[in-house]
Amino acid sequence: MTATLIQPLTVAEAIESRRSIRKFVQEPINEGDLREILRLAGLAPSAWNAQTWRFAVVQNPEIKAQLQAAAYGQPQIGSAPAVIVVYSDMEDTLNTVEDTAHPGMGEQGRAGQRQTFDGAFGGQDVAQRGQWGLSQANIAFGFLMLAARSLGYDTVPMLGFEPQKVRELLGLPEHVQFAGLLPIGKRAEDGFPHHRHSVERVVKFY
Ligand SMILES: Cc1cc2nc3c(=O)[nH]c(=O)nc-3n(C[C@H](O)[C@H](O)[C@H](O)COP(=O)(O)O)c2cc1C
């Protein structure tokens, strides 16, 4: 399915109009739009271009029902036509690290990328380096929400779930770490207006 032709919102418009939506219009997501949203999320930056993020898109109603059960029954999972599970796979990243070296860097760059990662993570255990991988995947999680909003979709980020159950349900290895679940679709409610600290409350200027 080709993407819906709409004028994307600007970044500022997407940020302003994004809010957590927990009730969705009951219609499938256009596949072209979904792919474009995921492509845009993958343009997020990451240290050494590691791109530790991975996405599992759940649209199958039975799997979605089990995902909802793993998320303490939170109804937004059942309401959304799709749920994107965003996780980081640092072990896959390390096993395929040459793939992330920019082609312009040539063979030397690929070897350098291997050395860099071996040097940085060789002495760390799986959990430690997994935490680093997650910090990169969280950036893509943010990009994903804004890319969705920009193309006319709504989301709600979620960390209220049992990670081990989600790993088992999706057949993911033990070491992966979750940035969150992201139910996505078109809004069927207004959500809550923003309630945020003032700039003065959270910023120090030096
Ligand atoms: C990392 C993260 C985890 C969250 N987990 C949940 C969740 O499990 N269930 C839920 O209903 N909302 C969840 N939220 C949504 C927050 O409640 C919401 O973002 C916050 O109240 C601000 O509202 P807004 O998103 O409408 O601006 C989560 C948000 C973030 C960023």
Side-chain angles (χ1 to χ4, degrees):
M1 213 190 299
T2 51
T4 316
L5 286 175
I6 65 155
Q7 180 67 41
L9 301 182
T10 65
V11 173
E13 287 167 342
I15 291 172
E16 282 285 0
S17 63
R18 188 216 58 81
R19 48 178 65 174
S20 289
I21 293 297
R22 299 178 178 85
K23 286 201 179 90
F24 296 90
V25 174
Q26 298 303 297
E27 65 182 24
I29 298 197
N30 175 288
E31 200 191 316
D33 290 352
L34 189 55
R35 285 180 177 274
E36 178 61 1
I37 289 165
L38 290 160
R39 187 189 72 82
L40 289 170
L43 294 181
S46 53
W48 295 313
N49 200 28
Q51 303 168 64
T52 58
W53 46 77
R54 304 290 183 267
F55 306 100
V57 180
V58 179
Q59 292 173 289
N60 176 298
E62 279 143 41
I63 304 177
K64 203 150 61 71
Q66 291 178 66
L67 202 53
Q68 182 173 348
Y72 310 106
Q74 293 192 71
Q76 57 268 33
I77 292 192
S79 175
V83 180
I84 305 175
V85 181
V86 184
Y87 62 97
S88 130
D89 191 336
M90 187 61 180
E91 297 310 297
D92 182 39
T93 298
L94 292 174
N95 287 332
T96 57
V97 77
E98 285 85 358
D99 295 350
T100 57
H102 197 282
M105 292 159 71
E107 209 35 59
Q108 216 182 343
R110 288 162 64 82
Q113 188 84 334
R114 168 58 59 199
Q115 270 179 349
T116 302
F117 278 76
D118 285 351
F121 301 109
Q124 293 188 8
D125 63 30
V126 170
Q128 261 182 319
R129 60 197 188 210
Q131 201 52 43
W132 185 90
L134 180 60
S135 69
Q136 313 301 319
N138 282 325
I139 300 171
F141 195 44
F143 270 49
L144 184 62
M145 287 180 243
L146 293 184
R149 182 82 279 277
S150 167
L151 296 188
Y153 289 88
D154 293 289
T155 59
V156 52
M158 294 177 63
L159 273 182
F161 61 92
E162 294 176 81
Q164 195 49 30
K165 287 195 175 164
V166 176
R167 279 190 200 97
E168 281 163 21
L169 176 63
L170 302 178
L172 299 174
E174 194 69 24
H175 61 256
V176 306
Q177 302 214 20
F178 295 99
L181 309 182
L182 196 71
I184 177 170
K186 301 258 170 149
R187 66 176 73 180
E189 65 169 8
D190 291 337
F192 296 101
H194 291 139
H195 172 62
R196 294 293 193 271
H197 288 311
S198 66
V199 171
E200 290 68 31
R201 168 80 168 74
V202 295
V203 180
K204 286 188 198 337
F205 291 96
Y206 295 91

